[in-house]
């Protein structure tokens, strides 16, 4: 693996690791219950921290069969969640189950300023861009 590709892969892993630890911090330390869409995004993000970490430290490129689909699904779910949060798509399209509402601005902000759905979208988008750059760089 070329050094630039490895650096990009480590960057994608660090983003996935920070997003995973951040989600755990918000849920377990801050006591903020995730909504249904947040759970689905966690299902896509948590394995990425493991997959990309193992791929980076082993210097392997066969991760993309696993990481790219998870990242693509995650970015679509996070984009949908962000659109609901900013009232671009009405919440009635997707009924949230028990727990906080997807469009509740008080429950969906980190430190009462940064929207969590937007953080998730930016994390998945950055990981996707970095993974595509790894593929392009390592050709």
């Amino acid at each position: 693996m070329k050094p630039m590709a490895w650096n990009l892969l480590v960057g994608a892993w660090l983003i996935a690791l920070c997003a995973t630890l951040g989600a755990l911090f918000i849920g377990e330390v801050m006591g903020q219950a995730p909504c249904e869409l947040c759970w689905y995004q966690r299902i896509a993000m948590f394995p990425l921290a493991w997959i990309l970490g193992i791929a980076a430290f082993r210097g392997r490129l066969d991760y993309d069969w696993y990481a790219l689909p998870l990242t693509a699904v995650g970015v679509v779910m996070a984009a949908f969640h962000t659109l609901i949060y900013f009232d671009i798509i009405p919440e009635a399209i997707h009924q949230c189950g028990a727990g906080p509402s997807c469009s509740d601005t008080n429950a969906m902000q980190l430190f009462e300023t940064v929207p969590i759905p937007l953080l998730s979208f930016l994390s998945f988008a950055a990981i996707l861009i970095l993974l595509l750059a790894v593929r392009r760089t390592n050709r």
Side-chain angles (χ1 to χ4, degrees):
M1 177 184 294
K2 295 180 182 177
M4 182 64 174
W6 186 81
N7 290 338
L8 294 169
L9 185 58
V10 168
W13 170 66
L14 288 173
I15 293 170
L17 183 64
C18 288
T20 298
L21 294 175
L24 291 172
F25 176 80
I26 291 168
E28 300 301 320
V29 176
M30 294 177 64
Q32 209 169 3
C35 72
E36 189 174 335
L37 286 173
C38 289
W39 276 115
Y40 295 141
Q41 291 166 60
R42 286 178 177 204
I43 291 169
M45 183 62 76
F46 287 9
L48 283 175
W50 287 99
I51 293 169
L52 296 176
I54 292 168
F57 287 103
R58 292 185 73 199
R60 305 276 310 257
L61 287 176
D62 55 356
Y63 66 89
D64 56 352
W65 284 101
Y66 310 106
L68 284 174
L70 282 171
T71 306
V73 167
V75 79
V76 169
M77 284 188 298
F80 181 68
H81 195 184
T82 303
L83 293 173
I84 289 174
Y85 177 84
F86 287 113
D87 291 327
I88 297 171
I89 296 175
E91 190 176 0
I93 290 176
H94 180 274
Q95 294 294 328
C96 287
S101 170
C102 295
S103 60
D104 183 7
T105 55
N106 294 329
M108 290 291 145
Q109 290 183 349
L110 181 62
F111 304 121
E112 298 179 6
T113 55
V114 183
I116 295 171
L118 182 60
L119 279 175
S120 178
F121 173 73
L122 293 174
S123 297
F124 277 115
I127 292 169
L128 183 62
I129 290 167
L130 288 172
L131 292 181
L132 293 175
V134 169
R135 291 183 78 179
R136 186 168 186 240
T137 303
N138 213 40
R139 287 184 188 194

